[in-house]
Amino acid sequence: MTAGLGIRTLVRFALIALGPLGGTPIRAADIASLRVDQTEWVLLLSGTSPLRSADLVGAELRLEGGTQLRIDSVHVVREESGRHWLAHELSVRLPDREWTPLCERHSDGTRYAVVLPGRETQSGSLTDDPTAFALSCTSGALAKCLRLGYEPWRLSADGSSMRATFNACVRMIRADYSGSGLPYTENGRQIDVSDVHGIQLPADSSDMPFEAGWDEHGAVCVSHVRVAGKVTLQELEAAVPRLRGHLGPVCTEAHAAAHGALVFNRSTGAEVARLPRLRRPRE
């Protein structure tokens, strides 16, 4: 996201500008609620059909603290896997400031953000809260985990929620070994991702040794740290009690799976996340 704005989860907000629907202005009294369905905003109105993200282009939200958020455009992004999600181009305006893009420009030239249902906690996990929604630019961990296929609203083959796997992915992307929200990675690091559901499969890459297994609370074991100099195994052993006895060569994929890992990753000293390629949108 744009640095310094502090927009993570939206709980308190008000719709302050919306064009007419079918030529009839929308009154504030007609607005029942604004929620998120998967990656789409849904505005419920009294006595008419709901409006969805594509209908809300130009709408402005007033956030807690006076910041305003505007929906500039909406695009359908289709992944090679067949999944699709909605990308929003958003602008923000602080009190007494001009409108600026929420997201910095991506390598493909886009400034896309994803809206997800739930509340992002201070430690970085996404809780199931229907009263809130979280925003993530496509360079952010939440958007990356969505694109990897870990859709938090879906159920896995065994009927369990994918939210825990989504949050495990967020910990993994950030190298948040302790689960406290403190990342130990850096931009441009390569990682190879797999999981217990078979959504992502490990690449045949002998030059990428196993790094760690992850659940929604952080790493369950760590074979080696992703970025030398940011933290050591000895420091993790001292700081994270649950990792004691699960550090170094003992940490294999089998060991991680036996201790409840949902997501696994390999890494080297120069990692790049193995993510689906972001296509230009097809409407």
Side-chain angles (χ1 to χ4, degrees), residues 4-245:
L5 291 175
I7 300 174
R8 293 169 59 131
T9 299
L10 307 185
V11 182
R12 297 182 182 178
F13 50 85
L15 193 69
I16 59 176
L18 182 64
L21 176 62
T24 303
I26 297 174
R27 302 175 305 166
D30 294 330
I31 299 173
S33 67
L34 181 67
R35 61 180 179 84
V36 172
D37 179 16
Q38 298 185 9
T39 58
E40 185 174 29
W41 268 303
V42 180
L43 178 66
L44 300 179
L45 301 171
S46 302
T48 187
S49 300
L51 299 180
R52 293 184 172 268
S53 283
D55 306 310
L56 297 174
V57 172
E60 298 173 15
L61 301 175
R62 180 183 292 117
L63 313 181
E64 188 175 12
T67 299
Q68 295 177 29
L69 181 73
R70 185 181 67 204
I71 304 172
D72 294 326
S73 65
V74 180
H75 310 273
V76 179
V77 177
R78 303 186 189 280
E79 303 284 8
E80 294 178 0
S81 64
R83 294 188 302 272
H84 69 276
W85 47 277
L86 288 190
H88 298 73
E89 289 186 297
L90 305 171
S91 293
V92 293
R93 183 167 65 182
L94 300 174
D96 302 321
R97 301 284 184 88
E98 298 297 320
W99 287 104
T100 58
L102 175 67
C103 296
E104 295 180 359
R105 196 175 298 279
H106 195 269
S107 59
D108 65 356
T110 63
R111 297 180 182 272
Y112 291 157
V114 176
V115 58
L116 294 167
R119 181 193 302 267
E120 187 181 5
T121 67
Q122 289 299 313
S123 69
S125 61
L126 188 69
T127 65
D128 185 8
D129 184 347
T131 70
F133 45 87
L135 292 171
S136 175
C137 298
T138 51
S139 60
L142 273 65
K144 287 179 178 179
C145 290
L146 174 75
R147 294 185 56 215
L148 282 166
Y150 307 125
E151 298 166 321
W153 54 82
R154 296 203 184 279
L155 299 179
S156 65
D158 63 6
S160 61
S161 171
M162 286 294 296
R163 186 171 298 274
T165 304
F166 175 88
N167 284 326
C169 173
V170 171
R171 305 295 188 198
M172 179 272 302
I173 290 289
R174 294 172 172 161
D176 179 9
Y177 301 113
S178 66
S180 63
L182 183 62
Y184 289 103
T185 189
E186 61 187 15
N187 291 336
R189 290 281 168 174
Q190 291 180 348
I191 53 177
D192 181 56
V193 183
S194 59
D195 59 81
V196 296
H197 307 292
I199 296 171
Q200 291 291 325
L201 300 175
D204 184 13
S205 179
S206 59
D207 61 338
M208 277 196 183
F210 185 73
E211 178 190 334
W214 308 82
D215 66 13
E216 61 184 319
H217 304 295
V220 301
C221 73
V222 181
S223 178
H224 70 89
V225 298
R226 190 172 306 175
V227 182
K230 283 190 173 287
V231 71
T232 66
L233 292 180
Q234 291 75 18
E235 289 169 335
L236 286 178
E237 183 175 38
V240 188
R242 79 174 193 146
L243 287 178
R244 293 168 189 166

